[in-house]
Amino acid sequence: LGPDGALHLSMVIERNLALQELDISGCGIGDEGIRVMTQALILNQRLEYVDLGDNDITDEGVSMLSTVLATKGKRGKEIKDKPCLCPLSLKRVVLSSNPGITSVGFGALAHALQASKSTHAEVANCQIRDDGCRVMAQHLTGTGDKRCMLKVIDLSSNLLTADGLWVMAKALRENISVEILRLNDNRLFDSGGRALASILKVNLNIKEVNVSGNGIGGKG
């Protein structure tokens, strides 16, 4: 597909009012593709789910996409004299398997997810690392209008360690929205297992957890 294909696709996104789900994973649109699609994503009032996984997207592209999400989170905001009648439509954006996304881009994304009341944070197989856990912890503890609405957090295969999970532990113990937590294929080991246990002992709202491939043994 590439950036040129993304340009043509953006025209479809803007005009097709029936479109609710869009999967363009593995199409190589890159940051330039995100740039040409941003206006269409803002104007479309029906689109709820977009899969942008495996598209060579970096922190730059995530920053542009985050602007879209944050804009959709502001009721009544007008774009080119067209009011966003349904600003909260885009609830799920998948960015997995884009190794150019680091904790920097994830920070912008986390802020935008909070503003837009999105329900999914899916950034598996990127480069989030423990710094990303610190960012996520800050946004999981919001209250009132800043309350986190995330139901699914997927940070699998992101080089996370137990230190990162311990940072998120307090926030996850107090958070009541998260239902699914995927942390498989990181580097949590036994200490990470104990951090997870401290979360699950208190938070009974979490229904599904995946920590396979983390070297957690009997002491975890």
Side-chain angles (χ1 to χ4, degrees):
L1 189 62
D4 291 339
L7 177 60
H8 294 293
L9 181 60
S10 67
M11 299 176 188
V12 175
I13 295 172
E14 183 173 337
R15 297 170 186 172
N16 189 332
L17 300 181
L19 187 64
Q20 292 183 314
E21 297 186 2
L22 178 65
D23 185 344
I24 51 173
S25 57
C27 288
I29 65 171
D31 294 338
E32 179 62 18
I34 294 294
R35 187 189 67 78
V36 300
M37 290 176 61
T38 51
Q39 185 68 26
L41 289 171
I42 291 173
L43 293 176
N44 186 290
Q45 305 303 312
R46 299 286 184 180
L47 195 61
E48 297 182 356
Y49 164 69
V50 178
D51 190 339
L52 296 167
D54 190 19
N55 264 299
D56 300 320
I57 298 169
T58 71
D59 289 341
E60 182 181 355
V62 174
S63 179
M64 290 184 282
L65 182 63
S66 297
T67 300
V68 173
L69 289 169
T71 297
K72 279 184 170 284
K74 297 177 181 178
R75 291 187 181 276
K77 184 175 180 64
E78 296 188 357
I79 307 297
K80 288 187 176 179
D81 299 323
K82 296 182 181 181
C84 287
L85 301 177
C86 183
L88 304 182
S89 62
L90 196 56
K91 294 180 174 64
R92 182 182 177 192
V93 179
V94 178
L95 287 163
S96 298
S97 299
N98 285 295
I101 299 176
T102 71
S103 60
V104 176
F106 185 61
L109 178 65
H111 176 77
L113 291 173
Q114 187 180 57
S116 64
K117 307 300 182 186
S118 296
T119 57
H120 289 62
E122 295 176 89
V123 285
N125 195 27
C126 295
Q127 297 287 326
I128 305 303
R129 299 177 183 264
D130 289 345
D131 284 342
C133 292
R134 296 182 179 90
V135 170
M136 179 57 71
Q138 294 173 0
H139 291 285
L140 286 171
T141 55
T143 59
D145 291 340
K146 294 184 178 181
R147 183 169 68 91
C148 171
M149 301 296 288
L150 288 176
K151 292 185 178 181
V152 178
I153 298 176
D154 188 348
L155 295 176
S156 54
S157 300
N158 266 292
L159 303 177
L160 308 184
T161 72
D163 290 343
L165 184 54
W166 277 111
V167 169
M168 285 201 301
K170 183 178 185 297
L172 284 169
R173 285 194 293 266
E174 299 174 356
N175 182 278
I176 61 172
S177 65
V178 176
E179 297 178 357
I180 298 174
L181 184 61
R182 297 175 184 143
L183 300 170
N184 49 289
D185 300 311
N186 283 296
R187 300 172 180 176
L188 302 181
F189 301 110
D190 286 345
S191 178
R194 291 191 290 272
L196 179 63
S198 76
I199 297 166
L200 299 179
K201 183 178 180 180
V202 176
N203 190 336
L204 303 181
N205 293 298
I206 298 177
K207 301 175 182 178
E208 177 186 323
V209 175
N210 188 344
V211 288
S212 61
N214 272 287
I216 298 175
K219 294 182 179 180

